[in-house]
């Protein structure tokens, strides 16, 4: 039933019922008095005096009718005022909410239903407004996510094309007998192997990122000896970089006993991603160098990875950790990429309780800094 109908019915009940009750009560009293026997009149003082009063006044019926009419008018006026007051307090906001709900139903979230009042209807309007804002933000995020997903797929498809084309070219070269010496053959096979590895990394990165996005990355935190970990890591990196004619300098200023809490595989991903950027964005015109320096900074160890490559323009620096951000794409277009490497790095560093930042100068080089928390043994104090 509509609110209006309910109010009209309530209005009639409020005005008619009291009058009817009063009338019934008076009629009942009259009958009791009229039916009373002489003995009862004598024995019942109240009834007797009521009958005497009625006889004395002689105008009892007129009085009752007048009373009923006056009461009825007062009740009508009061009820009209009350019903209008309640209706005005509810109806306008209900209308607004109805329009708003229809808008939401049709997928239109560009409106506002906020209210400044302090009554329940205003609270309801404000709650509706909060819900609308949340729905709007979710819709926006979903659209952005979908756009990013599409961009990711097209980027990966684009990046996969490069190694596939190379593998095809080198395989055809071997089939056609272009690689006619054992050295050439080895070079071709090695290139095919490297390109296949590149594809593998790309696919792994994609899988890892979709996992990270939903916070599903399975971290396996361990206590690691910083020196031991980096000695292994540098040995492996050194070989890779040597093949690419890049010099690697390493300096570790941290106490050899220091332990860190980290997932060794994910820490490896951080280093690999940063170093592969340094390699990717090297300049062709100078002797390439990468330096890894580790310092003790109190509760943390600070790892710095510096290169003497192309550098990053100042206006791009704040965004390099953003997902899909690629600085100066025209300049970098030859060095393919999806712009997700550093967003992965940032996520992993932060999940380790650390922080990452970058400094860079165009045509001079880039330095990436990140900190990882040291492992501190908490002494158990026991009283003897
Ligand atoms: N060492 C560096 N030297 C110069 N530019 C860099 C360096 N590291 C990062 N950048 C810039 O930051 C951008 C973002 O790096 P990020 O690793 O996230 O993406 P990418 O290398 O372009 O792609 P992906 O890592 O997904 O293959 C790069 O496109 C590049 O412009
Ligand atoms: Mg990268």
């Amino acid at each position: 039933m509509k609110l209006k109908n309910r109010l009209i019915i309530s209005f009639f009940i409020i005005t008619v019922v009291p009058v009817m009750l009063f009338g019934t009560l008076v009629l009942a009293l009259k009958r009791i008095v009229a039916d009373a026997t002489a003995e009862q009149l004598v024995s019942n003082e109240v009834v007797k005096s009521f009958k005497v009063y009625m006889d004395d006044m002689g105008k009892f019926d007129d009085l009752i009718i007048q009373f009923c009419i006056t009461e009825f008018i007062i009740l009508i006026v009061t009820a009209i005022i009350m019903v209008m007051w309640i209706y005005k307090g509810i109806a306008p906001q209900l209308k607004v909410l109805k329009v708003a709900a229809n808008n939401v139903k049709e997928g239109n979230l560009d409106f506002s239903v906020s209210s400044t009042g302090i009554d329940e209807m205003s609270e309801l309007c404000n709650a509706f407004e909060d819900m609308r804002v949340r729905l709007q933000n979710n819709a926006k995020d979903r659209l952005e996510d979908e756009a990013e997903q599409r961009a990711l797929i097209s980027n990966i498809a684009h990046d996969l094309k490069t190694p596939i084309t190379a593998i095809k070219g080198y395989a055809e070269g071997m089939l056609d007998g272009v690689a006619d010496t054992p050295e050439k053959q080895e070079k071709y096979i090695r290139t095919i192997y490297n390109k296949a590895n590149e594809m593998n990394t790309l696919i792994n990165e994609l899988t890892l990122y979709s996992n990270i996005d939903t916070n599903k990355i399975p971290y396996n935190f361990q206590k690691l000896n910083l020196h031991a970990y980096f000695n292994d890591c540098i040995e492996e990196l050194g070989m890779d970089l040597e093949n690419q004619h890049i010099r690697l300098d390493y300096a570790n200023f941290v106490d050899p006993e220091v332990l860190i809490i980290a997932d060794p595989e994910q820490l490896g991903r951080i280093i690999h991603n940063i170093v592969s950027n340094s390699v990717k964005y090297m300049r062709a015109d100078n002797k390439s160098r990468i330096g890894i320096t580790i310092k003790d900074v109190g509760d943390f160890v600070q790892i710095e990875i510096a290169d003497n490559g192309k550098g990053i323009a100042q206006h791009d620096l704040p965004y390099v950790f953003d997902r899909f951000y690629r600085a100066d794409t025209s300049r970098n277009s030859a060095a393919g990429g999806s712009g997700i490497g550093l967003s992965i790095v940032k996520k992993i560093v932060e999940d380790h309780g650390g922080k990452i930042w970058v400094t860079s100068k165009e045509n001079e080089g880039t330095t990436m800094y990140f900190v990882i928390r040291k492992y501190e043994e908490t002494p158990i104090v026991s009283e003897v």
Side-chain angles (χ1 to χ4, degrees):
M1 194 186 284
K2 286 194 164 184
L3 176 71
K4 219 181 210 168
N5 295 343
R6 276 175 199 267
L7 287 174
I8 290 171
I9 291 171
S10 311
F11 169 78
F12 278 110
I13 292 172
I14 293 169
T15 50
V16 174
V17 170
V19 176
M20 277 170 63
L21 280 178
F22 183 73
T24 320
L25 183 72
V26 169
L27 283 177
L29 276 175
K30 267 185 85 178
R31 168 144 300 173
I32 291 168
V33 173
D35 290 353
T37 60
E39 291 83 2
Q40 281 170 322
L41 281 174
V42 174
S43 61
N44 192 329
E45 281 307 312
V46 177
V47 177
K48 191 177 155 191
S49 47
F50 188 69
K51 188 156 177 65
V52 169
Y53 169 77
M54 275 172 61
D55 291 344
D56 283 355
M57 294 297 288
K59 297 177 193 164
F60 182 72
D61 286 351
D62 288 352
L63 192 71
I64 290 302
I65 289 166
Q66 268 177 26
F67 182 81
C68 282
I69 291 171
T70 317
E71 188 203 18
F72 192 57
I73 290 169
I74 292 171
L75 281 173
I76 284 182
V77 173
T78 319
I80 287 177
I81 293 170
M82 296 308 289
V83 165
M84 289 307 288
W85 184 56
I86 294 170
Y87 187 73
K88 281 207 167 145
I90 297 174
Q93 275 135 321
L94 274 184
K95 264 185 209 152
V96 170
L97 283 175
K98 192 177 159 194
V99 174
N102 275 339
N103 276 338
V104 173
K105 192 174 81 187
E106 268 145 39
N108 171 23
L109 295 166
D110 283 329
F111 60 89
S112 170
V113 283
S114 56
S115 169
T116 47
I118 49 160
D119 56 315
E120 289 87 343
M121 286 308 291
S122 302
E123 279 172 16
L124 183 62
C125 284
N126 289 337
F128 195 98
E129 175 66 4
D130 289 347
M131 182 189 79
R132 182 198 67 82
V133 170
R134 193 169 276 205
L135 280 175
Q136 197 176 33
N137 289 343
N138 284 352
K140 240 186 241 161
D141 288 352
R142 208 180 53 239
L143 281 181
E144 274 170 22
D145 278 357
E146 278 169 13
E148 284 184 353
Q149 289 302 327
R150 274 199 297 276
L152 180 67
I153 290 166
S154 67
N155 282 341
I156 297 287
H158 167 265
D159 285 0
L160 280 172
K161 255 188 213 157
T162 321
I164 286 174
T165 315
I167 288 172
K168 228 174 112 190
Y170 282 101
E172 276 169 6
M174 288 191 71
L175 286 172
D176 295 347
V178 180
D180 46 8
T181 62
E183 292 79 38
K184 262 193 183 170
Q185 278 174 4
E186 202 205 313
K187 196 181 149 209
Y188 275 39
I189 289 171
R190 189 152 292 282
T191 313
I192 289 174
Y193 176 76
N194 288 341
K195 295 292 165 193
N197 268 345
E198 253 177 55
M199 285 171 63
N200 196 31
T201 314
L202 210 55
I203 290 163
N204 281 347
E205 204 140 284
L206 182 60
T207 319
L208 178 87
Y209 200 79
S210 58
N211 284 341
I212 288 177
D213 212 22
T214 49
N215 282 325
K216 273 195 291 188
I217 188 160
Y219 283 107
N220 173 22
F221 288 103
Q222 297 171 19
K223 277 188 264 176
L224 301 175
N225 177 286
L226 187 77
H227 271 261
Y229 182 86
F230 271 89
N231 286 346
D232 290 350
C233 179
I234 298 295
E235 197 176 317
E236 213 177 289
L237 265 180
M239 277 195 317
D240 277 359
L241 295 176
E242 204 181 305
N243 286 341
Q244 299 174 74
H245 310 290
I246 297 171
R247 196 177 108 190
L248 175 66
D249 299 319
Y250 170 58
N252 192 338
F253 298 105
V254 180
D255 189 298
E257 300 300 313
V258 165
L259 302 177
I260 53 169
I261 286 283
D263 176 334
E265 214 173 284
Q266 300 307 331
L267 185 56
R269 287 201 69 83
I270 297 174
I271 298 158
H272 172 84
N273 262 317
I274 296 176
V275 170
S276 66
N277 274 349
S278 293
V279 172
K280 189 152 71 169
Y281 304 110
M282 277 296 174
R283 279 180 293 152
D285 56 352
N286 70 342
K287 206 159 164 32
S288 306
R289 264 188 296 115
I290 293 178
I292 299 186
T293 311
I294 308 182
K295 296 174 184 163
D296 192 323
V297 287
D299 288 343
F300 293 84
V301 290
Q302 180 167 310
I303 296 131
E304 303 176 4
I305 303 180
D307 63 54
N308 61 344
K310 291 178 183 172
I312 305 167
Q314 289 305 306
H315 60 88
D316 284 319
L317 270 184
Y319 310 107
V320 291
F321 296 105
D322 290 355
R323 195 174 168 193
F324 299 126
Y325 191 84
R326 306 202 64 219
D328 195 353
T329 37
S330 58
R331 198 170 59 116
N332 287 335
S333 57
S338 314
I340 61 176
L342 287 181
S343 65
I344 292 174
V345 167
K346 183 168 187 260
K347 169 88 180 155
I348 299 175
V349 170
E350 285 173 357
D351 286 348
H352 276 71
K355 221 172 64 173
I356 183 160
W357 67 101
V358 57
T359 58
S360 188
K361 220 167 186 193
E362 272 188 290
N363 295 321
E364 282 190 21
T366 303
T367 306
M368 288 279 167
Y369 305 80
F370 66 95
V371 288
I372 296 282
R373 190 175 281 283
K374 280 192 217 166
Y375 173 74
E376 302 275 3
E377 198 90 55
T378 332
I380 303 166
V381 186
S382 57
E383 283 181 27
V384 188

